[in-house]
PDB file of all heavy atoms in Angstrom:
ATOM      1  N   SER A 573       0.827  -1.199   0.000  1.00  0.00           N
ATOM      2  CA  SER A 573       0.000   0.000   0.000  1.00  0.00           C
ATOM      3  C   SER A 573       0.862   1.250   0.000  1.00  0.00           C
ATOM      4  O   SER A 573       2.069   1.205   0.211  1.00  0.00           O
ATOM      5  CB  SER A 573      -0.928  -0.004   1.209  1.00  0.00           C
ATOM      6  OG  SER A 573      -0.170   0.124   2.396  1.00  0.00           O
ATOM      7  N   TRP A 574       0.205   2.383  -0.216  1.00  0.00           N
ATOM      8  CA  TRP A 574       0.915   3.651  -0.294  1.00  0.00           C
ATOM      9  C   TRP A 574       1.282   4.200   1.064  1.00  0.00           C
ATOM     10  O   TRP A 574       2.056   5.118   1.152  1.00  0.00           O
ATOM     11  CB  TRP A 574       0.038   4.697  -1.006  1.00  0.00           C
ATOM     12  CG  TRP A 574      -1.169   5.089  -0.191  1.00  0.00           C
ATOM     13  CD1 TRP A 574      -2.408   4.523  -0.252  1.00  0.00           C
ATOM     14  CD2 TRP A 574      -1.241   6.113   0.811  1.00  0.00           C
ATOM     15  NE1 TRP A 574      -3.255   5.128   0.660  1.00  0.00           N
ATOM     16  CE2 TRP A 574      -2.573   6.103   1.323  1.00  0.00           C
ATOM     17  CE3 TRP A 574      -0.337   7.030   1.330  1.00  0.00           C
ATOM     18  CZ2 TRP A 574      -3.002   6.970   2.320  1.00  0.00           C
ATOM     19  CZ3 TRP A 574      -0.746   7.908   2.328  1.00  0.00           C
ATOM     20  CH2 TRP A 574      -2.071   7.858   2.817  1.00  0.00           C
ATOM     21  N   ASN A 575       0.748   3.624   2.114  1.00  0.00           N
ATOM     22  CA  ASN A 575       0.776   4.181   3.455  1.00  0.00           C
ATOM     23  C   ASN A 575       2.054   4.929   3.771  1.00  0.00           C
ATOM     24  O   ASN A 575       3.149   4.449   3.496  1.00  0.00           O
ATOM     25  CB  ASN A 575       0.547   3.072   4.468  1.00  0.00           C
ATOM     26  CG  ASN A 575       0.225   3.613   5.840  1.00  0.00           C
ATOM     27  OD1 ASN A 575       1.127   3.914   6.614  1.00  0.00           O
ATOM     28  ND2 ASN A 575      -1.050   3.756   6.123  1.00  0.00           N
ATOM     29  N   TRP A 576       1.918   6.063   4.403  1.00  0.00           N
ATOM     30  CA  TRP A 576       3.013   6.987   4.622  1.00  0.00           C
ATOM     31  C   TRP A 576       4.165   6.381   5.400  1.00  0.00           C
ATOM     32  O   TRP A 576       5.306   6.795   5.245  1.00  0.00           O
ATOM     33  CB  TRP A 576       2.503   8.232   5.358  1.00  0.00           C
ATOM     34  CG  TRP A 576       2.006   7.929   6.750  1.00  0.00           C
ATOM     35  CD1 TRP A 576       0.759   7.546   7.111  1.00  0.00           C
ATOM     36  CD2 TRP A 576       2.781   7.969   7.949  1.00  0.00           C
ATOM     37  NE1 TRP A 576       0.704   7.337   8.466  1.00  0.00           N
ATOM     38  CE2 TRP A 576       1.908   7.602   9.007  1.00  0.00           C
ATOM     39  CE3 TRP A 576       4.111   8.271   8.240  1.00  0.00           C
ATOM     40  CZ2 TRP A 576       2.343   7.532  10.325  1.00  0.00           C
ATOM     41  CZ3 TRP A 576       4.541   8.210   9.558  1.00  0.00           C
ATOM     42  CH2 TRP A 576       3.660   7.849  10.588  1.00  0.00           C
ATOM     43  N   ASN A 577       3.897   5.377   6.223  1.00  0.00           N
ATOM     44  CA  ASN A 577       4.974   4.818   7.052  1.00  0.00           C
ATOM     45  C   ASN A 577       5.627   3.605   6.413  1.00  0.00           C
ATOM     46  O   ASN A 577       6.151   2.736   7.087  1.00  0.00           O
ATOM     47  CB  ASN A 577       4.462   4.489   8.450  1.00  0.00           C
ATOM     48  CG  ASN A 577       3.403   3.407   8.445  1.00  0.00           C
ATOM     49  OD1 ASN A 577       2.932   2.999   7.388  1.00  0.00           O
ATOM     50  ND2 ASN A 577       3.024   2.929   9.611  1.00  0.00           N
ATOM     51  N   GLY A 578       5.576   3.539   5.115  1.00  0.00           N
ATOM     52  CA  GLY A 578       6.310   2.486   4.424  1.00  0.00           C
ATOM     53  C   GLY A 578       5.455   1.494   3.685  1.00  0.00           C
ATOM     54  O   GLY A 578       5.940   0.776   2.837  1.00  0.00           O
ATOM     55  N   GLY A 579       4.181   1.472   4.004  1.00  0.00           N
ATOM     56  CA  GLY A 579       3.312   0.594   3.253  1.00  0.00           C
ATOM     57  C   GLY A 579       3.047  -0.724   3.941  1.00  0.00           C
ATOM     58  O   GLY A 579       3.905  -1.265   4.642  1.00  0.00           O
ATOM     59  N   ARG A 580       1.861  -1.240   3.722  1.00  0.00           N
ATOM     60  CA  ARG A 580       1.462  -2.528   4.255  1.00  0.00           C
ATOM     61  C   ARG A 580       1.503  -3.524   3.115  1.00  0.00           C
ATOM     62  O   ARG A 580       1.054  -3.226   2.010  1.00  0.00           O
ATOM     63  CB  ARG A 580       0.057  -2.417   4.836  1.00  0.00           C
ATOM     64  CG  ARG A 580      -0.525  -3.685   5.404  1.00  0.00           C
ATOM     65  CD  ARG A 580      -1.862  -3.403   6.039  1.00  0.00           C
ATOM     66  NE  ARG A 580      -2.777  -2.782   5.099  1.00  0.00           N
ATOM     67  CZ  ARG A 580      -3.942  -2.247   5.467  1.00  0.00           C
ATOM     68  NH1 ARG A 580      -4.287  -2.224   6.734  1.00  0.00           N
ATOM     69  NH2 ARG A 580      -4.730  -1.710   4.561  1.00  0.00           N
ATOM     70  N   THR A 581       2.015  -4.695   3.378  1.00  0.00           N
ATOM     71  CA  THR A 581       2.153  -5.688   2.325  1.00  0.00           C
ATOM     72  C   THR A 581       1.136  -6.809   2.466  1.00  0.00           C
ATOM     73  O   THR A 581       0.625  -7.083   3.559  1.00  0.00           O
ATOM     74  CB  THR A 581       3.564  -6.300   2.326  1.00  0.00           C
ATOM     75  OG1 THR A 581       3.860  -6.778   3.648  1.00  0.00           O
ATOM     76  CG2 THR A 581       4.599  -5.270   1.914  1.00  0.00           C
ATOM     77  N   TYR A 582       0.880  -7.447   1.333  1.00  0.00           N
ATOM     78  CA  TYR A 582      -0.064  -8.560   1.290  1.00  0.00           C
ATOM     79  C   TYR A 582       0.420  -9.496   0.199  1.00  0.00           C
ATOM     80  O   TYR A 582       0.814  -9.045  -0.880  1.00  0.00           O
ATOM     81  CB  TYR A 582      -1.465  -8.037   0.987  1.00  0.00           C
ATOM     82  CG  TYR A 582      -2.523  -9.097   0.939  1.00  0.00           C
ATOM     83  CD1 TYR A 582      -2.974  -9.713   2.090  1.00  0.00           C
ATOM     84  CD2 TYR A 582      -3.087  -9.482  -0.274  1.00  0.00           C
ATOM     85  CE1 TYR A 582      -3.945 -10.695   2.043  1.00  0.00           C
ATOM     86  CE2 TYR A 582      -4.060 -10.455  -0.335  1.00  0.00           C
ATOM     87  CZ  TYR A 582      -4.486 -11.057   0.823  1.00  0.00           C
ATOM     88  OH  TYR A 582      -5.449 -12.021   0.778  1.00  0.00           O
ATOM     89  N   TYR A 583       0.388 -10.810   0.470  1.00  0.00           N
ATOM     90  CA  TYR A 583       0.951 -11.778  -0.458  1.00  0.00           C
ATOM     91  C   TYR A 583      -0.019 -12.903  -0.764  1.00  0.00           C
ATOM     92  O   TYR A 583      -0.845 -13.283   0.075  1.00  0.00           O
ATOM     93  CB  TYR A 583       2.230 -12.389   0.133  1.00  0.00           C
ATOM     94  CG  TYR A 583       3.314 -11.387   0.427  1.00  0.00           C
ATOM     95  CD1 TYR A 583       3.446 -10.822   1.694  1.00  0.00           C
ATOM     96  CD2 TYR A 583       4.209 -10.992  -0.561  1.00  0.00           C
ATOM     97  CE1 TYR A 583       4.429  -9.891   1.963  1.00  0.00           C
ATOM     98  CE2 TYR A 583       5.202 -10.065  -0.298  1.00  0.00           C
ATOM     99  CZ  TYR A 583       5.302  -9.523   0.965  1.00  0.00           C
ATOM    100  OH  TYR A 583       6.287  -8.601   1.235  1.00  0.00           O
ATOM    101  N   ALA A 584       0.122 -13.448  -1.950  1.00  0.00           N
ATOM    102  CA  ALA A 584      -0.583 -14.671  -2.282  1.00  0.00           C
ATOM    103  C   ALA A 584      -0.007 -15.811  -1.442  1.00  0.00           C
ATOM    104  O   ALA A 584       1.186 -15.815  -1.112  1.00  0.00           O
ATOM    105  CB  ALA A 584      -0.424 -14.978  -3.763  1.00  0.00           C
ATOM    106  N   ASP A 585      -0.836 -16.774  -1.124  1.00  0.00           N
ATOM    107  CA  ASP A 585      -0.399 -17.892  -0.281  1.00  0.00           C
ATOM    108  C   ASP A 585       0.769 -18.638  -0.918  1.00  0.00           C
ATOM    109  O   ASP A 585       1.641 -19.144  -0.217  1.00  0.00           O
ATOM    110  CB  ASP A 585      -1.558 -18.845  -0.041  1.00  0.00           C
ATOM    111  CG  ASP A 585      -2.593 -18.278   0.914  1.00  0.00           C
ATOM    112  OD1 ASP A 585      -2.283 -17.306   1.632  1.00  0.00           O
ATOM    113  OD2 ASP A 585      -3.723 -18.806   0.932  1.00  0.00           O
ATOM    114  N   SER A 586       0.781 -18.698  -2.241  1.00  0.00           N
ATOM    115  CA  SER A 586       1.805 -19.478  -2.938  1.00  0.00           C
ATOM    116  C   SER A 586       3.210 -18.896  -2.784  1.00  0.00           C
ATOM    117  O   SER A 586       4.192 -19.607  -3.018  1.00  0.00           O
ATOM    118  CB  SER A 586       1.457 -19.581  -4.423  1.00  0.00           C
ATOM    119  OG  SER A 586       1.365 -18.290  -5.004  1.00  0.00           O
ATOM    120  N   VAL A 587       3.314 -17.637  -2.402  1.00  0.00           N
ATOM    121  CA  VAL A 587       4.631 -17.007  -2.295  1.00  0.00           C
ATOM    122  C   VAL A 587       4.933 -16.506  -0.890  1.00  0.00           C
ATOM    123  O   VAL A 587       6.049 -16.048  -0.624  1.00  0.00           O
ATOM    124  CB  VAL A 587       4.775 -15.835  -3.287  1.00  0.00           C
ATOM    125  CG1 VAL A 587       4.455 -16.289  -4.705  1.00  0.00           C
ATOM    126  CG2 VAL A 587       3.906 -14.649  -2.888  1.00  0.00           C
ATOM    127  N   LYS A 588       3.959 -16.605  -0.012  1.00  0.00           N
ATOM    128  CA  LYS A 588       4.139 -16.092   1.347  1.00  0.00           C
ATOM    129  C   LYS A 588       5.322 -16.779   2.027  1.00  0.00           C
ATOM    130  O   LYS A 588       5.467 -18.001   1.966  1.00  0.00           O
ATOM    131  CB  LYS A 588       2.847 -16.315   2.136  1.00  0.00           C
ATOM    132  CG  LYS A 588       2.673 -15.421   3.335  1.00  0.00           C
ATOM    133  CD  LYS A 588       1.281 -15.600   3.949  1.00  0.00           C
ATOM    134  CE  LYS A 588       0.191 -15.124   3.005  1.00  0.00           C
ATOM    135  NZ  LYS A 588      -1.150 -15.243   3.598  1.00  0.00           N
ATOM    136  N   GLY A 589       6.167 -15.969   2.632  1.00  0.00           N
ATOM    137  CA  GLY A 589       7.353 -16.502   3.292  1.00  0.00           C
ATOM    138  C   GLY A 589       8.559 -16.631   2.385  1.00  0.00           C
ATOM    139  O   GLY A 589       9.679 -16.827   2.863  1.00  0.00           O
ATOM    140  N   ARG A 590       8.361 -16.530   1.079  1.00  0.00           N
ATOM    141  CA  ARG A 590       9.471 -16.624   0.127  1.00  0.00           C
ATOM    142  C   ARG A 590       9.721 -15.293  -0.593  1.00  0.00           C
ATOM    143  O   ARG A 590      10.858 -14.980  -0.935  1.00  0.00           O
ATOM    144  CB  ARG A 590       9.169 -17.696  -0.925  1.00  0.00           C
ATOM    145  CG  ARG A 590       8.985 -19.086  -0.358  1.00  0.00           C
ATOM    146  CD  ARG A 590       8.891 -20.136  -1.457  1.00  0.00           C
ATOM    147  NE  ARG A 590       7.759 -19.936  -2.352  1.00  0.00           N
ATOM    148  CZ  ARG A 590       7.858 -19.783  -3.663  1.00  0.00           C
ATOM    149  NH1 ARG A 590       9.056 -19.807  -4.254  1.00  0.00           N
ATOM    150  NH2 ARG A 590       6.777 -19.616  -4.406  1.00  0.00           N
ATOM    151  N   PHE A 591       8.664 -14.545  -0.840  1.00  0.00           N
ATOM    152  CA  PHE A 591       8.771 -13.283  -1.569  1.00  0.00           C
ATOM    153  C   PHE A 591       8.556 -12.116  -0.621  1.00  0.00           C
ATOM    154  O   PHE A 591       7.765 -12.195   0.319  1.00  0.00           O
ATOM    155  CB  PHE A 591       7.732 -13.204  -2.672  1.00  0.00           C
ATOM    156  CG  PHE A 591       7.928 -14.146  -3.826  1.00  0.00           C
ATOM    157  CD1 PHE A 591       8.864 -15.173  -3.791  1.00  0.00           C
ATOM    158  CD2 PHE A 591       7.167 -14.004  -4.988  1.00  0.00           C
ATOM    159  CE1 PHE A 591       9.047 -16.039  -4.849  1.00  0.00           C
ATOM    160  CE2 PHE A 591       7.331 -14.858  -6.060  1.00  0.00           C
ATOM    161  CZ  PHE A 591       8.268 -15.874  -5.983  1.00  0.00           C
ATOM    162  N   THR A 592       9.245 -11.014  -0.897  1.00  0.00           N
ATOM    163  CA  THR A 592       9.110  -9.800  -0.093  1.00  0.00           C
ATOM    164  C   THR A 592       8.993  -8.592  -1.011  1.00  0.00           C
ATOM    165  O   THR A 592       9.809  -8.430  -1.939  1.00  0.00           O
ATOM    166  CB  THR A 592      10.312  -9.613   0.834  1.00  0.00           C
ATOM    167  OG1 THR A 592      10.451 -10.746   1.688  1.00  0.00           O
ATOM    168  CG2 THR A 592      10.126  -8.363   1.699  1.00  0.00           C
ATOM    169  N   ILE A 593       7.992  -7.771  -0.730  1.00  0.00           N
ATOM    170  CA  ILE A 593       7.792  -6.549  -1.500  1.00  0.00           C
ATOM    171  C   ILE A 593       8.141  -5.349  -0.634  1.00  0.00           C
ATOM    172  O   ILE A 593       7.778  -5.303   0.544  1.00  0.00           O
ATOM    173  CB  ILE A 593       6.329  -6.439  -1.981  1.00  0.00           C
ATOM    174  CG1 ILE A 593       6.021  -7.590  -2.950  1.00  0.00           C
ATOM    175  CG2 ILE A 593       6.083  -5.094  -2.668  1.00  0.00           C
ATOM    176  CD1 ILE A 593       4.563  -7.669  -3.343  1.00  0.00           C
ATOM    177  N   SER A 594       8.825  -4.402  -1.236  1.00  0.00           N
ATOM    178  CA  SER A 594       9.154  -3.167  -0.535  1.00  0.00           C
ATOM    179  C   SER A 594       9.077  -2.019  -1.539  1.00  0.00           C
ATOM    180  O   SER A 594       8.964  -2.246  -2.748  1.00  0.00           O
ATOM    181  CB  SER A 594      10.546  -3.238   0.085  1.00  0.00           C
ATOM    182  OG  SER A 594      11.530  -3.458  -0.903  1.00  0.00           O
ATOM    183  N   ARG A 595       9.135  -0.823  -1.022  1.00  0.00           N
ATOM    184  CA  ARG A 595       9.081   0.329  -1.902  1.00  0.00           C
ATOM    185  C   ARG A 595       9.986   1.425  -1.376  1.00  0.00           C
ATOM    186  O   ARG A 595      10.218   1.539  -0.163  1.00  0.00           O
ATOM    187  CB  ARG A 595       7.645   0.851  -2.046  1.00  0.00           C
ATOM    188  CG  ARG A 595       7.033   1.427  -0.787  1.00  0.00           C
ATOM    189  CD  ARG A 595       5.541   1.713  -0.984  1.00  0.00           C
ATOM    190  NE  ARG A 595       5.315   2.720  -2.019  1.00  0.00           N
ATOM    191  CZ  ARG A 595       4.152   2.885  -2.653  1.00  0.00           C
ATOM    192  NH1 ARG A 595       3.119   2.107  -2.352  1.00  0.00           N
ATOM    193  NH2 ARG A 595       4.014   3.819  -3.567  1.00  0.00           N
ATOM    194  N   ASP A 596      10.482   2.239  -2.295  1.00  0.00           N
ATOM    195  CA  ASP A 596      11.290   3.398  -1.957  1.00  0.00           C
ATOM    196  C   ASP A 596      10.631   4.586  -2.653  1.00  0.00           C
ATOM    197  O   ASP A 596      10.810   4.782  -3.867  1.00  0.00           O
ATOM    198  CB  ASP A 596      12.728   3.197  -2.436  1.00  0.00           C
ATOM    199  CG  ASP A 596      13.652   4.333  -2.034  1.00  0.00           C
ATOM    200  OD1 ASP A 596      13.154   5.425  -1.722  1.00  0.00           O
ATOM    201  OD2 ASP A 596      14.866   4.131  -2.050  1.00  0.00           O
ATOM    202  N   ASN A 597       9.869   5.347  -1.906  1.00  0.00           N
ATOM    203  CA  ASN A 597       9.136   6.451  -2.509  1.00  0.00           C
ATOM    204  C   ASN A 597      10.072   7.545  -3.026  1.00  0.00           C
ATOM    205  O   ASN A 597       9.727   8.265  -3.969  1.00  0.00           O
ATOM    206  CB  ASN A 597       8.143   7.033  -1.514  1.00  0.00           C
ATOM    207  CG  ASN A 597       6.963   6.106  -1.262  1.00  0.00           C
ATOM    208  OD1 ASN A 597       6.667   5.224  -2.070  1.00  0.00           O
ATOM    209  ND2 ASN A 597       6.318   6.283  -0.128  1.00  0.00           N
ATOM    210  N   ALA A 598      11.243   7.677  -2.430  1.00  0.00           N
ATOM    211  CA  ALA A 598      12.190   8.686  -2.901  1.00  0.00           C
ATOM    212  C   ALA A 598      12.714   8.335  -4.294  1.00  0.00           C
ATOM    213  O   ALA A 598      13.088   9.226  -5.071  1.00  0.00           O
ATOM    214  CB  ALA A 598      13.346   8.815  -1.921  1.00  0.00           C
ATOM    215  N   ARG A 599      12.745   7.052  -4.604  1.00  0.00           N
ATOM    216  CA  ARG A 599      13.222   6.580  -5.909  1.00  0.00           C
ATOM    217  C   ARG A 599      12.093   6.182  -6.850  1.00  0.00           C
ATOM    218  O   ARG A 599      12.332   5.701  -7.948  1.00  0.00           O
ATOM    219  CB  ARG A 599      14.157   5.395  -5.718  1.00  0.00           C
ATOM    220  CG  ARG A 599      15.426   5.718  -4.943  1.00  0.00           C
ATOM    221  CD  ARG A 599      16.299   4.481  -4.763  1.00  0.00           C
ATOM    222  NE  ARG A 599      17.498   4.760  -3.993  1.00  0.00           N
ATOM    223  CZ  ARG A 599      18.634   5.190  -4.502  1.00  0.00           C
ATOM    224  NH1 ARG A 599      18.749   5.373  -5.804  1.00  0.00           N
ATOM    225  NH2 ARG A 599      19.673   5.431  -3.717  1.00  0.00           N
ATOM    226  N   ASN A 600      10.853   6.356  -6.387  1.00  0.00           N
ATOM    227  CA  ASN A 600       9.685   5.974  -7.206  1.00  0.00           C
ATOM    228  C   ASN A 600       9.805   4.529  -7.682  1.00  0.00           C
ATOM    229  O   ASN A 600       9.511   4.213  -8.851  1.00  0.00           O
ATOM    230  CB  ASN A 600       9.531   6.903  -8.415  1.00  0.00           C
ATOM    231  CG  ASN A 600       8.984   8.259  -8.032  1.00  0.00           C
ATOM    232  OD1 ASN A 600       8.779   8.556  -6.860  1.00  0.00           O
ATOM    233  ND2 ASN A 600       8.750   9.093  -9.027  1.00  0.00           N
ATOM    234  N   THR A 601      10.219   3.653  -6.791  1.00  0.00           N
ATOM    235  CA  THR A 601      10.489   2.270  -7.178  1.00  0.00           C
ATOM    236  C   THR A 601       9.888   1.298  -6.176  1.00  0.00           C
ATOM    237  O   THR A 601       9.932   1.528  -4.965  1.00  0.00           O
ATOM    238  CB  THR A 601      12.011   2.044  -7.282  1.00  0.00           C
ATOM    239  OG1 THR A 601      12.564   2.940  -8.249  1.00  0.00           O
ATOM    240  CG2 THR A 601      12.317   0.614  -7.717  1.00  0.00           C
ATOM    241  N   VAL A 602       9.351   0.222  -6.713  1.00  0.00           N
ATOM    242  CA  VAL A 602       8.870  -0.888  -5.893  1.00  0.00           C
ATOM    243  C   VAL A 602       9.694  -2.117  -6.253  1.00  0.00           C
ATOM    244  O   VAL A 602      10.107  -2.287  -7.405  1.00  0.00           O
ATOM    245  CB  VAL A 602       7.354  -1.120  -6.104  1.00  0.00           C
ATOM    246  CG1 VAL A 602       7.029  -1.481  -7.537  1.00  0.00           C
ATOM    247  CG2 VAL A 602       6.836  -2.181  -5.141  1.00  0.00           C
ATOM    248  N   TYR A 603       9.943  -2.951  -5.249  1.00  0.00           N
ATOM    249  CA  TYR A 603      10.820  -4.101  -5.409  1.00  0.00           C
ATOM    250  C   TYR A 603      10.086  -5.399  -5.089  1.00  0.00           C
ATOM    251  O   TYR A 603       9.165  -5.421  -4.269  1.00  0.00           O
ATOM    252  CB  TYR A 603      12.027  -3.972  -4.484  1.00  0.00           C
ATOM    253  CG  TYR A 603      12.811  -2.701  -4.670  1.00  0.00           C
ATOM    254  CD1 TYR A 603      12.566  -1.598  -3.859  1.00  0.00           C
ATOM    255  CD2 TYR A 603      13.784  -2.591  -5.655  1.00  0.00           C
ATOM    256  CE1 TYR A 603      13.280  -0.414  -4.022  1.00  0.00           C
ATOM    257  CE2 TYR A 603      14.502  -1.413  -5.829  1.00  0.00           C
ATOM    258  CZ  TYR A 603      14.239  -0.329  -5.011  1.00  0.00           C
ATOM    259  OH  TYR A 603      14.940   0.838  -5.186  1.00  0.00           O
ATOM    260  N   LEU A 604      10.544  -6.455  -5.722  1.00  0.00           N
ATOM    261  CA  LEU A 604      10.062  -7.798  -5.413  1.00  0.00           C
ATOM    262  C   LEU A 604      11.282  -8.689  -5.242  1.00  0.00           C
ATOM    263  O   LEU A 604      11.967  -8.998  -6.210  1.00  0.00           O
ATOM    264  CB  LEU A 604       9.160  -8.328  -6.534  1.00  0.00           C
ATOM    265  CG  LEU A 604       8.662  -9.762  -6.359  1.00  0.00           C
ATOM    266  CD1 LEU A 604       7.798  -9.892  -5.112  1.00  0.00           C
ATOM    267  CD2 LEU A 604       7.878 -10.213  -7.597  1.00  0.00           C
ATOM    268  N   GLN A 605      11.542  -9.072  -3.999  1.00  0.00           N
ATOM    269  CA  GLN A 605      12.634  -9.985  -3.696  1.00  0.00           C
ATOM    270  C   GLN A 605      12.062 -11.388  -3.639  1.00  0.00           C
ATOM    271  O   GLN A 605      11.157 -11.657  -2.842  1.00  0.00           O
ATOM    272  CB  GLN A 605      13.291  -9.624  -2.361  1.00  0.00           C
ATOM    273  CG  GLN A 605      14.381 -10.580  -1.933  1.00  0.00           C
ATOM    274  CD  GLN A 605      15.579 -10.555  -2.854  1.00  0.00           C
ATOM    275  OE1 GLN A 605      16.009  -9.492  -3.301  1.00  0.00           O
ATOM    276  NE2 GLN A 605      16.141 -11.729  -3.147  1.00  0.00           N
TER     277      GLN A 605
END
């Protein structure tokens, strides 16, 4: 989510625990590890 404090994440069950999403608003970039 866009939330000002870094965002809330939500994952599909198939990837939960293996994938991580983050964002850097200063760089206008979202990541998928």
Side-chain angles (χ1 to χ4, degrees):
S573 67
W574 68 268
N575 194 274
W576 65 272
N577 64 352
R580 179 175 56 191
T581 53
Y582 181 73
Y583 300 94
D585 287 343
S586 59
V587 306
K588 202 173 294 182
R590 299 188 299 122
F591 291 10
T592 302
I593 296 173
S594 60
R595 66 189 297 160
D596 184 340
N597 288 339
R599 297 179 182 273
N600 285 4
T601 301
V602 61
Y603 304 95
L604 176 62
Q605 176 66 41

